[in-house]
Amino acid sequence: MDREGLADFLRKRREALQPEDVGMVRGPRRRTSGLRREEVAALCGMSSDYYSRLERLKGPQPSEQMLAAIARGLRLTLDERDHLFRLAGHSAPQRALRGDHVNPGIMRVLDRLCDTPAMVTTALGETLRQTPAAVALFGDQTVFSGMARSLFYRWFTDPDERRLYLEDDHPMYGRVFTSLLRETTTREGPRSRAAALARDLLGRSTEFAALWDRHEVGLGHPDTKRLVHSELGVLELQCQTLLDPDQSQALLVYTATPGTESYDKLRLLAVIGSQTLGNGDWR
C-alpha cells in the first residue's frame, strides 16, 4: 500500500471535482478548491473520519468494496479506478464486458436528474444507481444480491416484482425480458453470468422455459410504460435510454407528457422521493 501516493491521489481528485459535477449547489461563501472531505465521504457512503484518515496517511488498508465506493464517489474513470486500487495495495478489478463501475459521464448526467426517476442498469437488468424519484417509484433496486440482482431473474422468481406493472402487461414483459436475456447470453457466451442465470431459471420457472423455447430476440420495450405506484396509482411514462456501450450499461430516464395526469403525479413523486431520502445521500 502506497499511503503517500494514495493520499495525494485522493486529494488531487477531490480538489478537481466541483460541486456542479455531482449535482451540488455552490454556495456564495464557498472557498474550498473542489469538494470538501465530508462531501466526498457522503458521496462515497462512508464516514468523514474514515475518508479523512486516508488523505492524512492514517487508518487501515481500505477494502476493495471501500475502494469501489470511493471510485464511484469521486467519479473516477476506469483507468483512474485501477490506479486507485493499485495504490491501495490491491490488484485492479478485471474489466469484464459488463461491469459495475458507472461511467463518469453517465454519473454526471444522473447527478442532474435528482427530481426525475432515472437509473443506471446493466445488460442483465441489474440496477447500479437510482435517483431518489426512481427509488420512490420502483423501490430500492440496488439492495439485491446474487442472481436476484437481475430484474429478469426476479420477474420469474419473485411475485412482488410484478406488482409495479399492470397485470395486462405481464405477458408482454415476460417475453421482453426473456428476449433480452437470450441476446445477452449469446453475446457474452456459455460461461457468462447471463448463461448461468438462464440455466437457473430454466430449472425454476416453467413460464420462463416456455418463453425461452420460443427463441425470440429483438423484442423492444413498449414506448409507454404503465406503472402502478402504491400511493399515486397508475402512471403512463415514456422511458428514454442513454447507452454506454463500453460498459454495456444504460441510463434510463422516465418522463411524462406535460399537461397529463401522469405528469402531475410525477411531480408529486419527486416530492415523495425527497422526503424519503433526505439530503441526497442516494449518491
Side-chain angles (χ1 to χ4, degrees):
M1 178 177 174
D2 182 352
R3 289 187 180 275
E4 291 186 4
L6 177 63
D8 183 68
F9 183 65
L10 292 176
R11 183 170 58 256
K12 295 295 176 52
R13 297 283 71 74
R14 174 174 60 80
E15 292 175 350
L17 201 60
Q18 302 303 313
E20 297 83 359
D21 295 331
V22 295
M24 294 181 178
V25 178
R26 181 184 293 273
R29 298 181 180 180
R30 189 180 189 92
R31 298 179 180 178
T32 304
S33 174
L35 296 183
R36 302 183 180 96
R37 289 192 180 98
E38 58 269 23
E39 291 172 335
V40 171
L43 291 172
C44 300
M46 61 185 60
S47 70
S48 297
D49 178 68
Y50 181 89
Y51 179 81
S52 297
R53 291 172 70 189
L54 292 178
E55 283 201 12
R56 292 169 178 166
L57 286 71
K58 299 179 180 180
Q61 180 187 34
S63 67
E64 294 182 352
Q65 290 79 8
M66 296 300 281
L67 291 171
I70 292 172
R72 291 191 298 267
L74 287 175
R75 309 306 192 250
L76 301 184
T77 65
L78 281 175
D79 288 337
E80 290 172 335
R81 180 204 64 177
D82 292 350
H83 184 64
L84 173 70
F85 270 70
R86 295 187 182 104
L87 287 173
H90 294 280
S91 298
Q94 182 177 1
R95 295 196 186 186
L97 175 63
R98 178 196 40 74
D100 289 352
H101 183 79
V102 182
N103 181 289
I106 294 291
M107 284 296 299
R108 283 193 289 272
V109 176
L110 190 70
D111 287 333
R112 286 160 173 76
L113 297 172
C114 58
D115 60 347
T116 301
M119 61 182 69
V120 180
T121 65
T122 70
L124 277 182
E126 299 167 328
T127 301
L128 303 179
R129 289 289 175 276
Q130 291 176 279
T131 61
V135 174
L137 178 59
F138 294 96
D140 189 349
Q141 296 190 334
T142 66
V143 299
F144 299 99
S145 61
M147 291 187 178
R149 291 183 63 198
S150 169
L151 167 62
F152 309 155
Y153 188 84
R154 297 195 305 274
W155 182 263
F156 293 104
T157 60
D158 184 359
D160 287 342
E161 191 64 39
R162 302 193 180 199
R163 294 180 180 177
L164 183 64
Y165 302 85
L166 288 179
E167 188 171 354
D168 291 345
D169 294 339
H170 288 184
M172 178 267 296
Y173 279 110
R175 292 177 60 203
V176 168
F177 295 153
T178 303
S179 169
L180 292 172
L181 180 56
R182 168 76 74 174
E183 295 169 25
T184 305
T185 299
T186 301
R187 183 171 60 250
E188 298 190 2
R191 296 183 179 179
S192 64
R193 292 179 58 220
L197 192 153
R199 287 192 295 269
D200 190 275
L201 281 176
L202 286 171
R204 290 179 181 271
S205 171
T206 56
E207 178 189 1
F208 175 80
L211 292 172
W212 187 261
D213 190 57
R214 296 170 66 165
H215 208 129
E216 293 181 306
V217 295
L219 299 183
H221 286 279
D223 293 335
T224 300
K225 293 179 181 289
R226 301 187 297 174
L227 304 176
V228 183
H229 188 268
S230 59
E231 298 180 40
L232 302 178
V234 178
L235 293 86
E236 294 190 357
L237 304 178
Q238 289 74 49
C239 180
Q240 282 74 42
T241 303
L242 175 63
L243 294 176
D244 172 28
D246 291 339
Q247 287 291 295
S248 292
Q249 295 172 357
L251 172 61
L252 309 179
V253 182
Y254 293 86
T255 61
T257 303
T260 64
E261 183 179 359
S262 293
Y263 181 82
D264 294 334
K265 290 180 178 180
L266 207 56
R267 296 177 66 182
L268 289 175
L269 188 72
V271 175
I272 294 174
S274 63
Q275 291 176 344
T276 301
L277 298 182
N279 296 321
D281 291 342
W282 61 281
R283 295 185 183 87

